[in-house]
Amino acid sequence: MSPTVADFFHNSFRLPESLAYLTAAVIHCVLIILVVAVGALLFIWLERKVSGRIQDRLGPTRVGGAFGWLQTLADGIKLIAKEDITPKDADWLLFKLAPYIGFAASYCAYIALPFADGWAARHMNTAVFFILAVLGIEVFSPILAGYASGSKWSLFGAIREAAQVVSYEVPLGMCVVVPVFLCGTMNLVTIGNMQAGLFTNWLVFNDPFTFVIAVVYFTCATASVNRAPFDLAEAESELVAGFHTEYSGLRWSFFFMAEYGSMFLVSGLAAILFFGGWHGPIPIGEILGDFLAYVVTPLVGIVAWLLSFVFKNVHTADHVAVAGHIANSLGCLNFLLKGLIGVTVMMWVRWTLPRLRIDQVMTTCLKYCVPIAAICFLGALGWRVADWTTGADIPLVGIHYGKGGRGMVRESWVEQTQSAKVAENDVPDAPITDPNASDGPTGSVEQSPDELLTMKGGDQ
Amino acid sequence: MSGSNLVERLSQQFGEKITGSNLEAIDPWIEVTPQGIVEVTRYLRDDPDLQLNLLNCITGVDYFIADEKKAKKAGWDPHTEVVYHLSSTKNKHTLVLKVMLPRWKDGVEGELPEVPSIAGVFSTANWHEREVFDLSGVMFTGHPDLRRILCPEDWIGHPLRKDYEMPLEYHGIRGR
Amino acid sequence: MATQLDDPRIIEFDVRTDEMLVNMGPQHPSTHGVLRLVLRTDGEIVSEVEPHIGYLHRCAEKIGENLTPRQWIPYTDRMDYLAGMNMNLGWALAVEKLVDHELSEKAKHLRVILAEMGRIASHLVGMGAYGLDLGTFSPFLYAFREREKILDLFEEACGARLTYSYLTPGGATADLPNGWLQKCEAFLEQFEPIIQEYHALLTTNAIFVKRTASIGVMSPEMAVDFGCTGPVLRGSGVDYDLRRDGEERYTEMYDGYAFEVIVQKDGHYPRDHDYPAVPKEAVLGDCWHRFYVRMLEVVQAIDIVRQAIDRYSTASGDYGVPIKLTQKLPKGEAYLETESPRGQMGFYLISHGDSIPWRVRARSSSFCNLSVTSDLCRGCLIADVPAIVGSLDLVMGEIDR
């Protein structure tokens, strides 16, 4: 197991365990806030730039020098300076509360989202479930905002949002279940690591059904975060601005932070569930494995050895881990890029398509998405049971783990983790190329993966 | 169909309800009594030769000069006209009907002159008559929903009447 | 809900929600200005729509009673501010009809060029704004990008970009500048292929078709009954276009021009160009057809402008001599309608022999087109209201005058 941040503080600075965990939590929170807030800044700027280019305009060009990259910050400052108006008819408390609920939900879901192998604020064996559940809470924000605004247009927006998001949870859940049963775990880190290797290992190419499911997932995800063409809750040509008609200033901008936050979240989830997570399409790191092992690692080892004068308690084996962290940083970039691509696709769709009508949105969900998801669910299940060849079998480069299909991936992974557990005390760090490098128990509250698997029905 | 033929035909059909015509005008027109306007327009719309199925416009015109000296020179008595412009999308011809009304009903100032509504013949007349009522002050009897349309509902007076005076003040806004 | 049920046993079957009265406008993104629609809704279903107008009433007719015809031209610009050229033309022709002024060939072709360019500009806005009503923003900017070039041309011709006051009774205020025709031709050359982009983004887009086909269906009888004109009338399949069927004084401008009225006849539209096919879902008289007619009229206008440029450059005569500012008008009255982009724009002029008309009347096309709204919107969804109102392509300045 790799040491957590809390362990690091506990071991290196000899903080009491409780304080170490608190410090770690604060660091995690700040990091995620940075991701959400800076992400929102970036995405709003990106949205303006993308829409500008799509519409034959330039978009922001001035603030912050080139490309107007500080435009959002300037807007944010303007929004902070604006008056925060509460309408007379509004339900005061709920009106004030609603934006924060949305932001908090979007933010909380990030806790379980791994940005690279093991880079999650909190390792959860049920991360998929947690993210979906917490994202579901986000719907309260528009509903409360619409209800509390005391405006009829806001109320329409709220009711539309309620009907739409609740309906789309169904196909969304069905889509998410497919990677979960293919990998046999709800742990996002494990799901991500199982797709290591060539891009044919990605679950989207596992079989035709998962390919369709990935498309359905993206559609439903777009709908559940209220992006065009499903942005009925804030349809400006019908409902003025929908649920946030009466909001102004910073409070209004919180809705947008939440929206862009969850946009990246669902894109990131798609990246992990279907598109290989933090693994690039071609495993350069593994191809260069020898190079890493014989050239880079000793270099890193020297650096780590120098560092060890500062942090006396670093084990010698941690030198290798430092190289692992470098690989992980690249993986994190990979993951962010994939999420960014998802977000950009959402923007592209938004600035191209007209908006659907409410009944058509519901039809899309209930008549198309749900049946297609259900059929693909059964199809993927059948594919798995019949153990037909999968994308993972295409022998382009013989360095991936799943020689016998996705099922074999899982079994070989279970074997490895079991043997790793036996040898846990001897080898605290898994090698870089091990797909399960930082998977498994990281905090005291979590179960080990094999315990989880045994719990889930003993399919061994 | 030439103008004189048409006038003859309408006179035969409606007798005294056709009170006159001017065929030399730039747009030849036929004068109809207020009582006859509904029947005449319905006939014009349904007659297979005419098929004047499109009501282009209804206009209210006020003939009134406040200055008595000038009024004598004008060559007409004060009155209000309602002008109907009709055309046919099938036969591609047009027709103008006029209804002459007193400026005030029974000569009592403030009582609007009345003419039957043709909203039952042409649906578009609904809004046109509301506009004429609003601006020119003609009461269309039998209209389903005769309210002001361009001016605010509590506006006083009918602005396109020649004796109209802008109010001094409207809800605190200076008028003149 | 305040209704009292006679039979209390049926209350359990009454699942309707409270009816709500909602104000759409006068400040609303999709009402094209200051139109106010009062909706009576049952949830998302609209049971009644009541348009309230007059928020942009500027007493144009009353002002016209105090100005000479030439002085009133700027007021016509401001009625249908998206097609100022066509409004100038309508008023100029009505005045010419009253004073019986004959135009030279050159002036006629000049007017055709400008009127049809104005039609293109107006339909571009109509198209873009309709996309906006349906929630897509980009076609709006694509439309405005091209319209901007037309406005540049207009600016070069008359100095104004929106309120032209260019075509006056008697002709035009000035001749076209040198090189204008070449620029205009270059624009048409560049613009024509772009129409395919609009078709791809809107006309044939699956969501667009879903949102507009079979929505707000208006039968030809209903369209005529409500006095709807222009693309709204032709979208219902009524073959009536004043450029062909109008008064002599107007149609002679288009004498000898080859153009076909854009209307669905015998189940198909004119096939002189490569138009996208009518989707299966579309019913004659629905929002999609109204939109489609407008798109086809843009192509038609391009053809007409090309012909007019050829004829203008060889035509004899002067671009026209504007009538004097204080010219005495003959006694009489004249009514003339022209085919403006939104429908038939009529001007009625009564003169008692002064230089100032006794009564001026503007028959506005959008006014009649709007009056059909409450009948079209009955029983539709809230999202259909902007779709239907947008398909009528209203300009509030023209409705309220």
Side-chain angles (χ1 to χ4, degrees):
Chain A
M1 65 175 283
S2 63
T4 60
V5 181
D7 291 341
F8 174 76
F9 280 109
H10 183 54
N11 295 333
S12 303
F13 293 112
R14 306 198 181 282
L15 287 176
E17 199 162 308
S18 54
L19 207 56
Y21 274 98
L22 192 67
T23 319
V26 168
I27 289 177
H28 284 147
C29 283
V30 168
L31 281 177
I32 297 179
I33 274 259
L34 279 180
V35 169
V36 180
V38 176
L41 285 190
L42 172 78
F43 290 141
I44 291 172
W45 170 81
L46 187 73
E47 173 114 56
R48 300 178 66 159
K49 233 29 199 176
V50 167
S51 69
R53 292 302 168 142
I54 287 179
Q55 292 164 356
D56 216 353
R57 307 183 276 119
L58 289 174
T61 51
R62 293 187 180 216
V63 188
F67 314 121
W69 64 281
L70 275 180
Q71 181 67 49
T72 332
L73 195 64
D75 285 349
I77 291 167
K78 182 203 76 176
L79 284 171
I80 291 169
K82 278 179 95 170
E83 188 185 353
D84 180 23
I85 301 165
T86 309
K88 203 177 78 196
D89 287 349
D91 183 318
W92 184 82
L93 181 68
L94 293 181
F95 186 82
K96 301 266 183 200
L97 209 57
Y100 304 131
I101 291 177
F103 183 72
S106 169
Y107 172 69
C108 277
Y110 272 88
I111 290 175
L113 187 77
F115 285 80
D117 191 355
W119 284 20
R122 196 88 194 110
H123 290 270
M124 291 191 196
N125 292 329
T126 53
V128 177
F129 179 72
F130 177 83
I131 288 181
L132 280 191
V134 172
L135 259 191
I137 293 175
E138 208 197 335
V139 73
F140 281 110
S141 155
I143 292 177
L144 287 182
Y147 166 75
S149 288
S151 153
K152 288 167 183 173
W153 293 122
S154 302
L155 189 62
F156 272 123
I159 300 301
R160 281 182 175 190
E161 169 91 10
Q164 179 190 335
V165 173
V166 169
S167 311
Y168 272 92
E169 297 273 296
V170 178
L172 194 68
M174 285 171 123
C175 295
V176 166
V177 161
V178 172
V180 167
F181 77 66
L182 282 179
C183 295
T185 175
M186 280 198 183
N187 192 329
L188 281 173
V189 177
T190 317
I191 293 177
N193 278 335
M194 282 191 177
Q195 302 174 61
L198 208 61
F199 64 92
T200 49
N201 258 344
W202 294 358
L203 281 174
V204 64
F205 301 119
N206 190 61
D207 58 74
F209 298 106
T210 46
F211 188 84
V212 176
I213 275 280
V215 176
V216 175
Y217 169 82
F218 202 75
T219 313
C220 296
T222 313
S224 67
V225 298
N226 271 311
R227 292 288 294 184
F230 305 104
D231 58 342
L232 294 168
E234 46 194 285
E236 87 271 7
S237 63
E238 298 145 28
L239 305 185
V240 191
F243 62 87
H244 58 70
T245 308
E246 306 291 343
Y247 281 87
S248 65
L250 197 63
R251 215 173 287 282
W252 175 81
S253 70
F254 267 95
F255 283 118
F256 279 83
M257 302 255 267
E259 181 182 322
Y260 285 93
S262 33
M263 256 167 84
F264 182 79
L265 191 77
V266 293
S267 303
L269 200 58
I272 296 178
L273 290 179
F274 297 103
F275 297 97
W278 41 89
H279 299 289
I282 298 163
I284 301 169
E286 289 168 26
I287 292 170
L288 298 177
D290 294 345
F291 175 72
L292 276 174
Y294 294 117
V295 183
V296 180
T297 319
L299 285 177
V300 173
I302 291 166
V303 175
W305 177 71
L306 289 172
L307 281 175
S308 69
F309 287 110
V310 186
F311 307 111
K312 301 281 186 207
N313 277 41
V314 179
H315 297 284
T316 344
D318 285 345
H319 301 170
V320 187
V322 173
H325 285 311
I326 292 174
N328 249 355
S329 323
L330 294 175
C332 180
L333 275 183
N334 219 326
F335 172 78
L336 291 178
L337 192 69
K338 282 177 187 173
L340 198 63
I341 289 173
V343 172
T344 314
V345 169
M346 284 185 183
M347 290 173 184
W348 173 29
V349 168
R350 169 173 176 187
W351 296 104
T352 312
L353 292 180
R355 183 182 300 115
L356 284 165
R357 214 168 52 203
I358 180 72
D359 61 324
Q360 289 162 349
V361 167
M362 301 307 264
T363 310
T364 313
C365 174
L366 299 173
K367 281 194 180 164
Y368 298 98
C369 288
V370 171
I372 292 173
I375 289 167
C376 290
F377 175 83
L378 292 176
L381 196 65
W383 198 279
R384 166 78 184 85
V385 169
D387 206 15
W388 285 331
T389 49
T390 65
D393 286 329
I394 302 168
L396 282 175
V397 184
I399 49 165
H400 52 74
Y401 291 85
K403 300 250 167 25
R406 187 60 56 191
M408 288 302 288
V409 174
R410 205 191 64 181
E411 276 144 33
S412 66
W413 173 80
V414 169
E415 280 160 23
Q416 279 171 30
T417 35
Q418 272 167 351
S419 56
K421 204 194 173 193
V422 172
E424 201 171 58
N425 294 327
D426 304 331
V427 190
D429 290 298
I432 318 160
T433 46
D434 189 330
N436 324 303
S438 334
D439 185 51
T442 44
S444 55
V445 287
E446 299 205 344
Q447 297 161 311
S448 69
D450 52 331
E451 274 168 0
L452 172 73
L453 287 173
T454 346
M455 244 175 63
K456 277 165 69 70
D459 45 353
Q460 266 117 87
Chain B
M1 191 182 306
S2 75
S4 51
N5 276 348
L6 177 63
V7 176
E8 212 166 282
R9 183 162 153 187
L10 285 178
S11 299
Q12 273 178 1
Q13 188 78 21
F14 295 103
E16 298 199 337
K17 286 172 182 165
I18 307 295
T19 44
S21 64
N22 181 351
L23 302 179
E24 277 72 51
I26 301 171
D27 289 320
W29 48 266
I30 298 171
E31 189 189 326
V32 185
T33 58
Q35 290 74 31
I37 187 70
V38 178
E39 281 173 60
V40 172
T41 47
R42 180 169 287 134
Y43 173 79
L44 293 170
R45 185 192 68 181
D46 295 338
D47 188 87
D49 294 340
L50 298 164
Q51 299 206 35
L52 290 154
N53 53 358
L54 182 67
L55 175 70
N56 296 86
C57 190
I58 301 179
T59 313
V61 191
D62 189 29
Y63 287 82
F64 174 75
I65 296 176
D67 189 340
E68 282 193 10
K69 272 186 196 165
K70 283 185 188 165
K72 273 179 191 162
K73 278 191 252 171
W76 35 255
D77 295 328
H79 66 282
T80 295
E81 277 178 18
V82 181
V83 189
Y84 300 81
H85 288 91
L86 300 165
S87 58
S88 165
T89 58
K90 290 173 182 144
N91 298 350
K92 332 279 186 202
H93 53 215
T94 58
L95 183 71
V96 185
L97 297 180
K98 278 191 180 187
V99 173
M100 307 288 182
L101 300 170
R103 289 197 75 241
W104 301 109
K105 186 189 176 190
D106 307 326
V108 185
E109 193 140 330
E111 291 285 307
L112 298 180
E114 284 179 357
V115 61
S117 163
I118 59 164
V121 186
F122 297 103
S123 301
T124 183
N126 186 328
W127 277 30
H128 278 297
E129 286 175 355
R130 277 175 68 184
E131 189 185 336
V132 173
F133 161 74
D134 185 2
L135 299 181
S136 302
V138 177
M139 188 66 83
F140 290 89
T141 54
H143 188 284
D145 183 26
L146 198 65
R147 290 177 289 131
R148 286 185 181 274
I149 188 164
L150 291 179
C151 296
E153 273 164 30
D154 57 352
W155 194 258
I156 296 161
H158 301 277
L160 284 179
R161 291 181 83 96
K162 293 283 176 182
D163 55 357
Y164 172 76
E165 281 188 13
M166 184 76 180
L168 283 170
E169 179 266 336
Y170 174 74
H171 290 300
I173 306 163
R174 201 161 64 89
R176 263 185 290 162
Chain C
M1 196 163 52
T3 49
Q4 194 79 42
L5 290 168
D6 297 331
D7 185 353
R9 280 169 304 170
I10 62 171
I11 197 158
E12 58 186 296
F13 301 109
D14 186 47
V15 292
R16 278 156 25 98
T17 52
D18 283 3
E19 282 201 334
M20 223 186 334
L21 269 183
V22 193
N23 260 321
M24 197 182 242
Q27 267 80 39
H28 189 278
S30 73
T31 51
H32 297 251
V34 283
L35 170 64
R36 173 174 164 225
L37 298 168
V38 179
L39 314 181
R40 183 184 293 282
T41 67
D42 177 16
E44 284 272 338
I45 299 164
V46 178
S47 54
E48 196 184 329
V49 176
E50 174 72 42
H52 288 259
I53 60 175
Y55 293 92
L56 203 57
H57 183 46
R58 290 154 299 176
C59 324
E61 291 177 9
K62 185 77 180 175
I63 293 170
E65 291 175 8
N66 299 295
L67 295 177
T68 65
R70 268 191 66 191
Q71 285 173 325
W72 202 55
I73 287 172
Y75 292 87
T76 64
D77 282 328
R78 283 151 181 82
M79 284 185 194
D80 184 349
Y81 42 77
L82 295 180
M85 283 291 179
N86 304 67
M87 303 300 276
N88 292 165
L89 173 68
W91 175 240
L93 281 168
V95 177
E96 282 160 17
K97 182 175 175 181
L98 182 71
V99 302
D100 200 19
H101 182 97
E102 271 306 313
L103 277 180
S104 69
E105 282 296 303
K106 192 156 188 157
K108 281 177 193 165
H109 298 314
L110 173 80
R111 285 181 171 188
V112 171
I113 295 174
L114 290 163
E116 295 303 318
M117 289 296 276
R119 193 183 309 278
I120 297 174
S122 167
H123 282 343
L124 280 178
V125 179
M127 179 209 87
Y130 194 39
L132 221 50
D133 287 343
L134 298 176
T136 174
F137 201 83
S138 299
F140 182 72
L141 283 147
Y142 293 147
F144 263 60
R145 178 186 65 198
E146 301 310 318
R147 174 173 178 264
E148 210 57 13
K149 292 169 189 163
I150 299 179
L151 297 194
D152 285 344
L153 284 171
F154 283 167
E155 186 182 10
E156 203 174 320
C158 65
R161 291 175 70 83
L162 197 69
T163 49
Y164 312 106
S165 308
Y166 183 50
L167 304 178
T168 62
T173 44
D175 201 357
L176 293 175
N178 285 335
W180 195 91
L181 293 176
Q182 286 74 19
K183 282 181 192 165
C184 186
E185 271 177 336
F187 164 74
L188 295 178
E189 200 63 40
Q190 174 260 331
F191 171 60
E192 204 171 7
I194 289 176
I195 296 172
Q196 292 306 324
E197 272 180 28
Y198 301 147
H199 284 316
L201 271 171
L202 290 175
T203 321
T204 56
N205 180 301
I207 296 180
F208 180 85
V209 172
K210 267 193 166 217
R211 287 292 309 275
T212 54
S214 309
I215 301 294
V217 181
M218 183 157 49
S219 69
E221 293 76 25
M222 185 179 172
V224 173
D225 190 32
F226 275 93
C228 294
T229 47
V232 179
L233 182 73
R234 291 191 284 278
S236 288
V238 179
D239 186 7
Y240 192 60
D241 187 328
L242 286 183
R243 284 175 288 176
R244 187 193 62 195
D245 308 319
E247 253 178 77
E248 178 68 17
R249 192 169 278 279
Y250 182 52
T251 52
E252 71 179 7
M253 272 172 51
Y254 289 91
D255 269 350
Y257 281 88
F259 71 97
E260 238 180 296
V261 174
I262 304 292
V263 66
Q264 190 178 41
K265 260 186 291 193
D266 311 325
H268 61 81
Y269 282 92
R271 286 176 180 153
D272 48 347
H273 288 272
D274 188 20
Y275 303 126
V278 179
K280 279 198 293 290
E281 302 96 312
V283 183
L284 189 63
D286 62 5
C287 295
W288 190 88
H289 276 272
R290 288 193 277 277
F291 176 82
Y292 191 58
V293 165
R294 250 172 234 125
M295 293 303 290
L296 262 53
E297 280 191 9
V298 172
V299 183
Q300 179 199 38
I302 293 175
D303 283 354
I304 295 178
V305 174
R306 286 211 172 111
Q307 297 174 44
I309 288 176
D310 289 345
R311 286 157 154 250
Y312 171 80
S313 36
T314 55
S316 60
D318 199 7
Y319 62 87
V321 187
I323 61 167
K324 270 186 282 180
L325 195 62
T326 53
Q327 177 170 336
K328 288 252 188 270
L329 301 168
K331 266 190 187 178
E333 44 197 81
Y335 180 78
L336 188 118
E337 284 194 352
T338 54
E339 187 74 30
S340 95
R342 280 172 187 74
Q344 298 175 12
M345 186 67 215
F347 284 102
Y348 186 33
L349 182 70
I350 299 176
S351 157
H352 284 168
D354 289 332
S355 57
I356 290 168
W358 180 255
R359 174 83 163 90
V360 168
R361 168 92 164 111
R363 182 265 186 206
S364 123
S365 44
S366 292
F367 182 83
C368 300
N369 292 351
L370 177 65
S371 68
V372 81
T373 314
S374 53
D375 280 57
L376 282 188
C377 290
R378 199 164 290 140
C380 71
L381 295 174
I382 288 184
D384 290 336
V385 174
I388 291 171
V389 173
S391 77
L392 301 173
D393 192 14
L394 306 168
V395 167
M396 289 315 290
E398 189 192 8
I399 293 172
D400 293 340
R401 279 155 293 157

